[in-house]
């Protein structure tokens, strides 16, 4: 009885093992995985490319195609919109190949993934202003591109990295302006002034400076700081003489802020009108 039970267990184990072996992926030659991945990339099938590259890295981690496969994996994940995966692959490549002649490419792709990471899939199809989003990965992208330029200033990817750094600074400045406008709506004029001043002091080469100077001038006027307001207006006139903030005679026209009448007479008048 016990012997029969043992035979049954043994038969069951062998059956399970046989099924498992049948389900196992057949390991293909290294070159086959690489050729399949490259062919898939050329046809735009990045899912299949990534799958073959993963097999290549799993079965042949130190093979003849290992370095190129790691670079292709960065690109395939990026094309698949797996931006975190692309950045992780770039980090891994740089860790395993610190002296590679393609290290600048990995750094560039890492920055590019960070640059686009906080722009969700929804933002690709709906009109969401990037300047109104939290900084998120933008500063990480700025650091990534900055590292690329410091280490490889003559890289073929350096010009694009520089342009993206300019775009990031513009976005960050616009974010400060967006927050300043929010504070104006809440009548928190000191906070709005602080945000505008931060733009002038830290993002002086961005287009947002014009709006920042207008906000500074108006908030200073509201706070009865005439000298500071006049200084902001003079800076505005010097750098942006065609600004819409000036009339035809170059007189500054306040428009963002409206000083409310908070006198007792206005409150009484409003109350009497409400009782009619």
């Amino acid at each position: 009885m016990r012997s029969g039970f043992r035979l049954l267990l043994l038969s069951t184990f062998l059956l399970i093992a046989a099924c498992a072996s049948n389900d196992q992926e057949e390991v293909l030659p290294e070159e086959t995985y690489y050729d399949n991945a490259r062919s898939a990339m050329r046809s735009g099938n990045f899912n299949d490319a990534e799958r073959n590259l993963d097999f290549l890295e799993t079965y042949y981690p130190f093979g003849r195609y290992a370095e190129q496969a790691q670079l292709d994996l960065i690109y395939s994940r990026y094309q698949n919109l797996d931006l975190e995966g692309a950045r992780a692959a770039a980090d891994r490549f740089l860790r395993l190949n610190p002296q590679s002649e393609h290290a600048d490419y990995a750094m560039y792709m890492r920055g590019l993934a960070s640059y686009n990471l906080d722009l969700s899939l929804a933002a690709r199809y709906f009109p969401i202003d990037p300047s109104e989003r939290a900084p998120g990965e933008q500063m990480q992208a700025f650091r990534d591109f900055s590292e690329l330029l410091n280490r490889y200033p003559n890289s073929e990817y350096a010009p694009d990295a520089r342009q993206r750094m300019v775009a990031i600074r513009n976005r960050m400045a616009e974010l400060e302006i967006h927050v300043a406008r929010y504070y104006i709506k809440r009548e928190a004029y000191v906070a709005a002034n602080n945000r505008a001043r931060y733009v002038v002091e830290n993002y002086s080469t961005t287009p947002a400076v014009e709006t920042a100077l207008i906000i500074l001038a108006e908030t200073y006027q509201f706070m009865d700081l005439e000298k500071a307001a006049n200084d902001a207006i003079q800076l505005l006139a010097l750098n942006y003489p065609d600004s819409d903030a000036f009339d035809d005679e170059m007189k500054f026209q306040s428009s963002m802020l409206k000083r409310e009448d908070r006198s007792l007479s206005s409150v009484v008048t409003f109350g009497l009108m409400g009782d009619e």
Side-chain angles (χ1 to χ4, degrees), residues 104 148-149 151-159 162:
D104 60 334
L148 168 65
L149 294 178
R151 294 183 59 179
Y152 304 99
N154 299 319
S155 167
E156 62 180 299
Y157 309 106
R162 288 191 186 94

Side-chain angles (χ1 to χ4, degrees), residues 5 27 51 67 106 110 117 152 155 161 163 243-244 247 252 267 273:
F5 181 69
V27 178
R51 186 174 66 86
E67 182 174 340
R110 183 177 63 184
L117 193 56
Y152 304 99
S155 167
Q163 290 299 315
S243 174
D244 292 338
D247 63 14
F252 182 74
V267 175
M273 290 177 63

Side-chain angles (χ1 to χ4, degrees), residues 85-104:
R87 191 167 64 178
D91 281 334
R92 185 172 185 274
F93 178 87
L94 292 168
R95 186 170 62 254
L96 296 177
N97 309 279
Q99 304 303 321
S100 171
E101 61 179 332
H102 303 296
D104 60 334

Side-chain angles (χ1 to χ4, degrees), residues 108-251:
Y108 172 72
M109 290 301 296
R110 183 177 63 184
L112 203 58
S114 298
Y115 183 82
N116 290 290
L117 193 56
D118 63 352
L119 301 179
S120 64
L121 286 176
R124 296 174 182 271
Y125 303 103
F126 298 99
I128 299 176
D129 186 350
S131 69
E132 297 182 9
R133 299 174 62 85
E137 300 296 331
Q138 294 298 296
M139 293 310 298
Q140 180 60 51
F142 193 92
R143 289 190 289 269
D144 290 336
F145 291 135
S146 179
E147 182 180 359
L148 168 65
L149 294 178
N150 287 334
R151 294 183 59 179
Y152 304 99
N154 299 319
S155 167
E156 62 180 299
Y157 309 106
D160 187 70
R162 288 191 186 94
Q163 290 299 315
R164 291 183 187 276
M165 290 175 72
V166 171
I168 290 171
R169 287 180 61 82
N170 290 346
R171 285 184 187 177
M172 300 302 294
E174 285 295 336
L175 175 62
E176 295 294 330
I177 294 299
H178 176 73
V179 175
R181 291 183 186 275
Y182 168 78
Y183 282 134
I184 289 173
K185 290 180 180 178
R186 298 293 300 270
E187 300 183 12
Y189 300 125
V190 173
N193 181 281
N194 288 336
R195 292 286 185 161
R197 190 168 68 252
Y198 185 85
V199 170
V200 174
E201 293 174 353
N202 294 277
Y203 299 110
S204 59
T205 59
T206 66
V209 170
E210 178 183 355
T211 304
L213 288 170
I214 295 172
I215 293 174
L216 278 179
E218 294 198 29
T219 51
Y220 279 135
Q221 285 180 342
F222 189 89
M223 293 184 286
D224 295 324
L225 298 173
E226 290 302 323
K227 183 181 184 307
N230 289 333
D231 289 344
I233 292 171
Q234 288 178 10
L235 276 175
L236 183 66
L238 179 64
N239 293 280
Y240 306 95
D242 297 325
S243 174
D244 292 338
F246 297 110
D247 63 14
D248 293 338
E249 298 179 355
M250 287 299 291
K251 183 178 179 182

